[in-house]
Amino acid sequence: MSNKQKHSFQAEVAQVLHLVTHSLYSHPEIFLRELISNASDACDKLRFEALHDPALYGDQPQLEVRISFDKEARTLTVTDTGIGMSEQEAIDNLGTIAKSGTRAFAAKLSGDDKADSQLIGQFGVGFYAGFIVADKMTVESRRAGLPPEQGVRWVSDGSGDFEVETITRAERGTSVILHLRDDALEFADGWRLKELIGKYSDHISLPIKMEGEKWEEAEQEGQPGRMVKTGEWETVNQANALWTRPKKDVTDEQYVQFYEQLAHDWQPPLAWTHNRVEGSTEYTQLLYLPSHAPMDMWDRDRRTGVKLYVKRVFIMDDAEQLLPRYLRFVKGVVDSADLPLNVSRELLQESRDVKIIREGNTRRVLALLEDLAKAPAGEQPAEGAEAKTDGDQAPADKYATFWREFGAVLKEGLGEDTGNRERLLKLVRYASTQSDTPTVGLADYKARMKEGQKAIYYITADTLAAAKNSPQLEIFRKKGIEVLLMTDRVDEWSLGFVREFDGTPLQSVAKGAVDLGDLQDEAEKKAAEEAAEAVKPVLDRLKAALKDQVEDVRVTTRLVDSPACLVVKDAGMSMQLARMLKQAGQDVPQTKPVLEINPEHPLVKKLEGSAHFDDLAHILFDQALLAEGGLPDDPAAYVRRVNALLV
Ligand code: ADP
Ligand code: MG
């Protein structure tokens, strides 16, 4: 009796299959990494479910992966004793892609096989990598807890559809049987497989077993001998969790390999820190700084972040309680001896131990960053964390890389983590009027401050060009005073939490009146006062003309080449932030800016006695708005006024 059912692959799967077989064939070996990773996931899942229901183990307590091959039959089989799949699960999990990642996956394919082959595991489509080497895949499985006669066989040749039938399977777990293509027979070889397991899967914390082989001489003289199976299964990987080994026993290469598997990232990490923490709460942490931001930020389900283990039992992916949000780029493992095995996400939120671990993790990551940033002499040394790094990038270059990829995320910490704000302030970097790249630290800035300068000046804008060309910078540029140029969306918000750095206040050049204090000499001050006096009658008329647009009109010394600019009052929200919030659909309290005018500018001088005073006043205001990235409320009126003057 046949109970075979035919199913079609979800359209996206068919697309992935096509990609797999047509673009990844030059790196066929990655299929093994993916299948072993799935086997390992399946064992983790069983271990976890069995915490609540130990009966799931049945009479097979052993969790393991077995890899076997048959040269004659041209098959390679990866078997695990993990959670297995029911018939419906096989249909769902192997016939559809749950996450809507396929399109993005396809879009990322670059045509460079090496890079592309690294993508496949990141997008939750690893299973299909089997079709790189197989023209047919058979999956036989039985879910833990189901009786032997509720096993399932899933078969597909990787084109449009797959077949599913009920089978009897004695063992819990899954066997993936690859029917190797002619050009993939190299994988039906014990040496080759062991080599690949060593390369990709050494740190799977589960034994990977292969049947032993021995050389057998031919019975007839003159005939070649052959390898025969001994019937003994031997473990071919290290099979112990890397983080439990003492640091001195782990090579840099092993750390990097472990990272690659953990993070599904085939570019080496920038640095890592590995510590066993003892005290009231005991735990092991192995935390990595990736060298690039993930390509699939869009996929909120992606398993990243820090994995939580309790006494080596995998508990959950992406345990967001273990690090503050502003360190969400960190990947790694935390293994705690103190948490209960049945810990849930809800419980994590309340646990005192988790709070301690989170603080410990934060300290370590910051110390790691401080090491890379190479805090100048005189700073307190990073507390015992040793930044282990890979490759030959100098630490300073690594920090620049880190900052480029994750700096904007780290800055969120200025607002979120009051306790570590001081440390974070030493880690932040900005562009400035002296550097187009964000490499200027606040300490660097302070060291370059002019005599008599009392504040660290900064400006926020949407783009570097807008920041650099802002009229508000004119006087600073003239006097050679450095101004930090901030263009990340988070800057304005995060600096709202920062009053000062190392005793020096931070001052936005777009907020409040400029008081360059001692930076101005007596002659300059006097000239400014005289000019202000002369322009006074104009001020009142401007105020009247622009009363709907501005809070106040005043004279400034900050402008050199521009006639006017807009600023907000000291405590006000910058106009840039207000615009940003408005774009994000938020209610922004309507605050009017202050119009500052340059009394020395010909246009301003021309105002008095002009027959077009009103038009000029509005043009002045609209241009100031344009100059700092805004748009006139009524652009058509602006154009009309300017044209009227032009003709
Ligand atoms: P991912 O592992 O990222 O989820 P895969 O394409 O590698 O994506 O696997 C798809 C799904 O198939 C898995 O999520 C899992 O539900 C199921 N699966 C694959 N291999 C196994 C296995 N050995 N045991 C149990 N389930 C499996
Ligand atoms: Mg997988």
Side-chain angles (χ1 to χ4, degrees):
M1 183 198 81
S2 163
N3 60 7
K4 278 188 191 161
Q5 297 169 355
K6 226 185 179 92
H7 297 262
S8 299
F9 282 116
Q10 177 195 28
E12 292 182 323
V13 174
Q15 199 188 344
V16 166
L17 280 167
H18 184 84
L19 289 167
V20 162
T21 45
H22 289 82
S23 17
L24 302 181
Y25 50 80
S26 66
H27 289 268
E29 61 194 48
I30 59 151
F31 81 91
L32 191 64
R33 172 187 87 196
E34 296 302 329
L35 295 185
I36 291 176
S37 151
N38 284 351
S40 161
D41 288 350
C43 290
D44 277 346
K45 280 180 202 156
L46 175 60
R47 208 186 265 138
F48 184 64
E49 282 193 22
L51 292 174
H52 304 276
D53 184 6
L56 287 177
Y57 279 114
D59 53 8
Q60 166 63 292
Q62 184 65 32
L63 293 176
E64 62 185 27
V65 181
R66 272 176 253 130
I67 297 182
S68 58
F69 59 92
D70 182 333
K71 269 202 160 93
E72 268 84 66
R74 302 176 151 210
T75 57
L76 170 62
T77 304
V78 178
T79 299
D80 65 71
T81 55
I83 191 75
M85 284 176 272
S86 67
E87 190 161 328
Q88 191 56 45
E89 284 171 327
I91 294 170
D92 293 343
N93 299 343
L94 306 180
T96 58
I97 299 176
K99 299 159 206 149
S100 61
T102 323
R103 276 252 292 299
F105 171 71
K108 287 282 179 214
L109 285 173
S110 61
D112 170 358
D113 293 328
K114 181 137 192 272
D116 290 349
S117 67
Q118 296 178 344
L119 283 173
I120 191 156
Q122 297 184 32
F123 286 84
V125 292
F127 172 78
Y128 304 108
F131 285 108
I132 305 173
V133 296
D135 46 25
K136 182 170 128 187
M137 281 172 80
T138 305
V139 178
E140 297 182 352
S141 190
R142 176 183 23 129
R143 200 183 198 288
L146 291 181
E149 43 304 336
Q150 290 187 34
V152 57
R153 177 181 294 127
W154 178 103
V155 184
S156 175
D157 64 3
S159 48
D161 32 52
F162 58 90
E163 260 175 18
V164 169
E165 67 184 309
T166 309
I167 58 164
T168 297
R169 179 177 162 92
E171 201 183 29
R172 166 197 82 225
T174 304
S175 294
V176 178
I177 303 149
L178 304 169
H179 306 266
L180 295 171
R181 294 175 191 275
D182 289 344
D183 57 2
L185 293 176
E186 60 175 298
F187 298 109
D189 177 88
W191 288 109
R192 181 79 172 112
L193 289 169
K194 275 185 203 159
E195 178 203 12
L196 291 178
I197 293 165
K199 182 163 166 197
Y200 291 123
S201 308
D202 219 14
H203 304 299
I204 296 281
S205 59
L206 196 71
I208 300 174
K209 294 183 172 172
M210 285 182 64
E211 209 176 330
E213 286 182 294
K214 66 170 196 281
W215 184 254
E216 197 177 72
E217 296 296 343
E219 279 164 23
Q220 277 177 336
E221 204 149 343
Q223 295 288 314
R226 59 188 190 118
M227 294 295 279
V228 294
K229 305 264 162 72
T230 61
E232 307 250 313
W233 289 86
E234 46 193 54
T235 301
V236 295
N237 64 332
Q238 292 248 8
N240 65 0
L242 176 112
W243 63 89
T244 61
R245 313 218 300 255
K247 267 198 270 204
K248 62 174 175 33
D249 295 347
V250 186
T251 65
D252 285 1
E253 203 188 346
Q254 288 170 325
Y255 276 120
V256 172
Q257 282 172 1
F258 181 71
Y259 169 80
E260 291 178 343
Q261 289 174 10
L262 178 87
H264 268 296
D265 178 4
W266 320 108
Q267 292 180 39
L270 279 181
W272 58 88
T273 175
H274 180 197
N275 312 280
R276 182 162 303 155
V277 184
E278 274 152 24
S280 61
T281 302
E282 292 189 9
Y283 61 98
T284 299
Q285 64 195 168
L286 172 54
L287 303 172
Y288 290 90
L289 285 183
S291 55
H292 61 104
M295 285 177 273
D296 53 348
M297 289 280 218
W298 44 268
D299 186 355
R300 299 180 63 81
D301 299 334
R302 208 172 99 73
R303 294 164 299 181
T304 51
V306 177
K307 285 182 195 258
L308 175 65
Y309 286 73
V310 172
K311 298 191 192 80
R312 247 152 287 172
V313 177
F314 170 76
I315 304 295
M316 67 179 80
D317 281 309
D318 196 10
E320 67 270 15
Q321 305 300 329
L322 297 178
L323 276 176
R325 274 185 55 76
Y326 72 91
L327 297 179
R328 60 183 175 273
F329 48 82
V330 171
K331 308 251 157 93
V333 171
V334 166
D335 192 340
S336 154
D338 296 322
L339 293 172
L341 278 168
N342 61 359
V343 70
S344 63
R345 284 190 196 267
E346 291 69 43
L347 249 146
L348 281 185
Q349 283 179 1
E350 284 146 31
S351 158
R352 197 188 66 95
D353 290 311
V354 169
K355 203 164 159 267
I356 292 173
I357 295 173
R358 174 188 170 105
E359 281 165 9
N361 285 345
T362 307
R363 273 201 305 277
R364 285 298 183 181
V365 173
L366 294 183
L368 193 58
L369 291 173
E370 282 160 358
D371 275 4
L372 290 186
K374 275 276 179 312
E379 304 290 331
Q380 77 186 48
E383 7 166 334
E386 68 203 80
K388 292 294 287 179
T389 60
D390 173 73
D392 20 55
Q393 254 191 73
D397 294 342
K398 290 191 179 194
Y399 196 71
T401 304
F402 162 78
W403 191 256
R404 191 185 62 231
E405 298 290 323
F406 304 111
V409 181
L410 192 77
K411 283 179 193 165
E412 294 171 15
L414 293 175
E416 277 171 20
D417 191 351
T418 325
N420 285 306
R421 190 171 297 149
E422 292 305 311
R423 284 180 87 170
L424 287 164
L425 277 173
K426 293 181 188 154
L427 289 170
V428 293
R429 298 288 181 269
Y430 299 103
S432 86
T433 42
Q434 298 191 15
S435 163
D436 276 354
T437 53
T439 49
V440 182
L442 295 175
D444 307 327
Y445 182 100
K446 267 197 85 166
R448 292 200 284 259
M449 268 170 45
K450 288 260 181 281
E451 196 151 316
Q453 186 179 342
K454 296 209 170 64
I456 296 171
Y457 294 107
Y458 68 89
I459 184 167
T460 55
D462 292 335
T463 63
L464 191 65
K468 270 165 86 171
N469 297 322
S470 166
Q472 277 132 353
L473 290 188
E474 287 169 6
I475 186 69
F476 295 90
R477 192 164 278 133
K478 184 175 163 202
K479 297 215 162 275
I481 301 169
E482 185 171 14
V483 177
L484 299 174
L485 308 175
M486 307 197 176
T487 52
D488 276 329
R489 290 184 149 238
V490 63
D491 285 326
E492 171 83 26
W493 172 82
S494 64
L495 285 188
F497 297 88
V498 181
R499 296 267 144 265
E500 54 163 53
F501 169 73
D502 192 18
T504 307
L506 271 76
Q507 165 77 49
S508 162
V509 301
K511 277 188 190 172
V514 260
D515 174 14
L516 292 178
D518 298 347
L519 290 166
Q520 269 185 321
D521 59 38
E522 284 310 313
E524 281 173 326
K525 278 185 190 158
K526 194 145 170 285
E529 273 162 29
E530 281 170 16
E533 195 57 38
V535 83
K536 235 183 180 147
V538 173
L539 280 188
D540 294 328
R541 288 180 66 196
L542 275 177
K543 268 183 229 176
L546 296 171
K547 64 178 184 314
D548 294 335
Q549 279 87 0
V550 301
E551 167 86 30
D552 194 11
V553 182
R554 66 186 178 214
V555 168
T556 184
T557 53
R558 83 174 88 216
L559 298 172
V560 178
D561 304 317
S562 303
C565 69
L566 294 171
V567 295
V568 293
K569 283 191 295 182
D570 248 334
M573 187 187 285
S574 86
M575 302 189 53
Q576 190 226 0
L577 180 61
R579 264 202 308 279
M580 235 163 68
L581 292 175
K582 247 190 221 153
Q583 276 167 14
Q586 299 208 27
D587 269 348
V588 186
Q590 271 297 327
T591 51
K592 291 190 236 164
V594 173
L595 181 73
E596 292 194 341
I597 57 169
N598 174 3
E600 321 246 28
H601 197 279
L603 192 62
V604 173
K605 288 187 171 153
K606 210 173 149 185
L607 270 171
E608 201 174 12
S610 163
H612 308 283
F613 188 93
D614 248 40
D615 283 339
L616 275 176
H618 280 97
I619 289 172
L620 211 58
F621 173 80
D622 284 344
Q623 285 188 342
L625 196 59
L626 282 167
E628 62 78 68
L631 272 182
D633 273 346
D634 185 352
Y638 169 74
V639 172
R640 210 162 47 239
R641 285 191 181 109
V642 171
N643 288 348
L645 285 178
L646 287 176
V647 289

